[in-house]
Amino acid sequence: MLVLWVGLMPWWSARGAEPSLRDKFQRQFIVGVAADGFLPGDYRSNELQLIRTQFGALTPANCMKMDALQRQEGRFNFGMADALVAFAASNHLKVCGHTLVWAKDDRTPPWFFADGTNAASRELLLARMETHIDTVAGRYRGKLASWDVVNEALDDGTNFIRPSQWLSLAGEDFIAKAFEYAHAADPGAVLILNDYNVEQPGKREKLLRLLRSLQERKAPIHAVGIQGHYELDAVPFKEIEETIKAIHALGLEVMITEFDIDAIPRSRWWADGGKYREEMAKLNPYAEGCPADVLARQAAQYEQIFGIFLRQSGAITRVTFWDLHDGRSWLNHFPWERANHPLLFDREAKPKPAFRAIMALP
Ligand code: XIL
């Protein structure tokens, strides 16, 4: 009788009070969340409960980055990363590794690029990259679902690949090499090229050009990660859908890897050479809470974008939110300090209107 009764229960009641994102979209894509290490005391019990009940995959927000794992050459620090992988294993969560190479100078420990007081040669830099990838991806071989192999390689300005010492010392093919090394280290992992603003037409063209060249070279790339850091009232819906289709047409999976909708638009921070920064740095309009009309617009925009994800679910295999709830969001700190409200759950880990809007989708 019990079996029959459970079978007849609505899909949300089996796991507790709240319906779950994971179950709601299980036929379309995995729903994941970025979080950090899982050492004792890192998360409150209601936060752990939220992770366990709502999500099917975990992305380490910081603890698997190059500067977290190998800040000094040869001295690997796997404590937090191991704790995250262990938590995931005991809670039936997939782990989506992030990130083997971050193609920016300020996100790479400086020793990678140096040879004593000289710049490293191409051979030395590639050998270090291979050692890093082999050690990290090799350690978790068979345990991770995917790896973001190269992060943020495309330039925002007029260049193709972002200028960096990766590019200037090793040449453009450091990207293809990273995929080759990652595949050798963990042949079962889905390998992802991850980047932001790739829905913007100029950057999208660069993305497609890079993907074609990787495919021509037979580099083992399987998916594109669209980071998906959007801003309220400026979500590029049409361009997002076009980009998803264009990636899928190349035979690659699409993952939305770092999804959030910033409640306090931030693009002016970078406009006109940064001349608004002083003024922006004082902006903290929702420190006492997010007004209902803002939450309602955010809900409508989350709903609209999820409508696209559902329509394109043949192309999309995962949608991961960047951070667990508003209080944990990186957008409270980047690019300036403010109380932000970009996610589906509030500071008490309670569902917001955006959560309800998504869960009400047909
Ligand atoms: C961010 C983290 O969330 C912050 O805690 C950290 O201080 C900086 O990095 N794109 C990425 C992520 O690929 O790794 C970034 O994560 C957010 C932007």
Side-chain angles (χ1 to χ4, degrees), residues 62 65 98 102 107 151-152 227 229 258 322 330:
N62 288 306
K65 291 173 177 172
H98 174 84
W102 197 339
R107 297 300 191 173
N151 195 29
E152 303 186 347
Q227 288 189 2
H229 293 297
E258 306 187 12
W322 201 252
W330 72 305

Side-chain angles (χ1 to χ4, degrees), residues 145-168:
S146 64
W147 268 109
D148 292 344
V149 178
V150 180
N151 195 29
E152 303 186 347
L154 298 167
D155 187 43
D156 295 312
T158 53
N159 295 294
F160 171 37
I161 302 300
R162 174 193 301 283
S164 74
Q165 293 183 83
W166 287 106
L167 182 65
S168 63

Side-chain angles (χ1 to χ4, degrees), residues 46-232:
N46 64 329
E47 294 179 311
L48 292 172
Q49 187 61 8
L50 190 64
I51 296 174
R52 288 194 193 98
T53 53
Q54 288 293 331
F55 300 100
L58 263 185
T59 301
N62 288 306
C63 67
M64 287 192 189
K65 291 173 177 172
M66 292 182 127
D67 60 354
L69 291 179
Q70 198 187 182
R71 189 182 288 274
Q72 287 170 285
E73 184 163 21
R75 296 184 57 177
F76 286 88
N77 168 19
F78 286 112
M80 280 179 81
D82 284 357
L84 183 140
V85 172
F87 173 85
S90 50
N91 290 284
H92 312 290
L93 294 157
K94 292 179 190 292
V95 179
C96 308
H98 174 84
T99 174
L100 292 172
V101 175
W102 197 339
K104 283 174 98 170
D105 286 350
D106 63 354
R107 297 300 191 173
T108 307
W111 64 263
F112 269 93
F113 302 129
D115 184 3
T117 52
N118 298 322
S121 64
R122 166 179 159 88
E123 289 66 35
L124 181 59
L125 178 54
L126 291 178
R128 284 170 170 166
M129 182 173 85
E130 183 171 13
T131 301
H132 182 83
I133 291 176
D134 197 48
T135 308
V136 173
R139 181 181 186 89
Y140 300 115
R141 180 185 178 121
K143 293 185 179 162
L144 267 56
S146 64
W147 268 109
D148 292 344
V149 178
V150 180
N151 195 29
E152 303 186 347
L154 298 167
D155 187 43
D156 295 312
T158 53
N159 295 294
F160 171 37
I161 302 300
R162 174 193 301 283
S164 74
Q165 293 183 83
W166 287 106
L167 182 65
S168 63
L169 300 177
E172 223 171 273
D173 68 340
F174 80 90
I175 300 171
K177 294 259 185 217
F179 279 89
E180 286 159 13
Y181 299 154
H183 188 58
D186 188 353
V190 173
L191 300 186
I192 304 167
L193 179 81
N194 197 47
D195 216 325
Y196 62 91
N197 283 356
V198 289
E199 38 315 275
Q200 294 181 5
K203 209 162 168 185
R204 183 200 305 159
E205 283 319 305
K206 296 177 200 179
L207 172 70
L208 298 175
R209 176 176 157 196
L210 177 57
L211 295 175
R212 279 188 218 103
S213 84
L214 289 169
Q215 289 183 322
E216 268 160 33
R217 209 190 131 124
K218 306 229 174 324
I221 175 171
H222 311 120
V224 172
I226 297 178
Q227 288 189 2
H229 293 297
Y230 303 117
E231 295 176 42
L232 191 65

